[in-house]
Amino acid sequence: MAKRTDPAAMPGGRRPTGRARRIVTLVTAAACLGALTAVPARAADITGSVRFSARLQPIDGFGISQAFQRASLIRGARGLSPAKSREVLDLLLSKDKGAGLSILRLGIGSSADDVYDHMKSIQPVDPGGPDAPPRYVWDGDDGGQVWLAKEAAKYGVKRFYANAWSAPAYMKDNGDDANGGALCGLSGTDCASGDWRTAYANYLVQYARFYKREGIRISDLAFTNEPDYTATYASMRFTPAQAVEFTKILGPIARKAGLGVICCEHTGWMGQIDYTKAIEADPQARRWISTYTGHRYSSAADAPMPTTKRTWMSEWSPNGGTWNENWDDGSGYDGMTVAEDIHHTLTSGNGNGYVYWLGASLGATRAFIQLADPGDSYRVSKRLWAMAAYSRFVRPGAHRVRATATDPAVKITAFRNADGSRVVELLNTGAATRADLALDQAVRRPAGYVTDSARSLTPADVATAKGGRLSVDLAPRSLTTVVIR
């Protein structure tokens, strides 16, 4: 502190009075302030930690679907030129220019025609009953999905899984590939046409064989989509007990063909738990399952699945009636909403994979990209960059690692890739702040990328490291990705 003024130093040894006292007071205050500001600033407090050596769940990847002929739109069905088509593919699949997605979900058709928004069956006509020789047909295109799968493979995608929304109409008890109904032969059904369970299992495996002929290896088959929901489009109901029953039929047939089985694509993650429990409780069914999948529509991933097998959030896009490109507008279908759901699925749900619904579509879509209808242009939603912040840098084979933040507004996840690179994701839901993280490993030269209302995974000088300390400046309401090579 500054030394108090000595009265003896004043003229005549008198105490200062009036104007002189005010001058002395101001001088004293200024001296105190100068002394205080001269003290070196104290190092910032630790506000979180990352333990890259503390592994949590493995990550299989991030992906999309382009089912129901959406793949053909990217190829140019509504006027998109080859040059613009390549730009859209780059945005979805490139690890340098876009999201670098690593999972493609293919739709197995059940319709008798191939009009837009339908997926044509590989056996559109009843071959004469479940025991008759099948009459499969293959056009080598599958609504543009073969083309898209081949393009995805060029970008390095290796995980292709095929999902049926329904069996063909003649295999079901309602005689319709839409409007729910059940597969003939399952317990609780009564069909004059007979038991189609094995024929349906063979049908699914044949679909994968057709793709193999085209040079695409499908890794897994999903025999149902939203088994709890009756839709006016392709849909088919399964109870948990029926899912167990059919898994035991499909499993051996799929395994012989080198395929895993995915189940059960419930409309909500928490609703999927009932299906997961039912299969896990039956050792004969459980052995065939590679991955359990749940959607996000009716419930979020608020808890892990009761299994040691892989679990994916395999379909979701937020609801809404207009196209939205914003990062953070409070609508519930902006980029921030998607980023928060990815974080929630990976942390609260311990998900191993995250598959968004559509990458690109038309009109008031919730896809990442809106294509002109018709025309040679497209628009990009911030939803894409919310996904890209994770999917470009967190690669298949990575592990989530233990990470914490003391500020409840800062949602943190961290990952270690198989190649040794490390990624820290900081989703700031509050005001601008600084995260000072203690690490269990020394790091150098961190690279920062920011996504917010003004930036889209834009490189930014926001992160510094010294030894086992990482400091990151966080913009308000933003997602900051830090990559450490």
Side-chain angles (χ1 to χ4, degrees), residues 58-62 103 269 311-314 345-346 351-355:
I59 302 299
D60 293 329
F62 301 83
I103 298 172
W269 181 277
T311 59
W312 294 357
M313 196 301 292
S314 56
T345 299
L346 297 174
N352 303 101
Y354 192 96
V355 182

Side-chain angles (χ1 to χ4, degrees), residues 239-260:
T239 66
Q242 289 172 332
V244 171
E245 179 185 339
F246 187 71
T247 296
K248 290 189 284 189
I249 293 171
L250 173 61
I253 298 171
R255 180 71 59 84
K256 188 176 180 180
L259 299 161

Side-chain angles (χ1 to χ4, degrees), residues 34 45 104 110 131 141 206 256 277 293 333 392 431 449:
D45 292 333
L104 182 60
S110 56
D131 300 319
D141 186 62
Q206 182 60 42
K256 188 176 180 180
K277 284 181 177 178
T293 50
Y333 43 92
R392 182 192 291 186
Y449 303 83

Side-chain angles (χ1 to χ4, degrees), residues 47 406-407 409-410 426-436 462 471-478 480:
T47 58
T406 57
D407 184 348
V410 176
L426 295 151
L427 180 61
N428 181 22
T429 63
T433 188
R434 184 183 180 99
D436 286 285
V462 295
S471 298
V472 187
D473 293 321
L474 305 178
R477 306 286 294 175
S478 67
T480 300

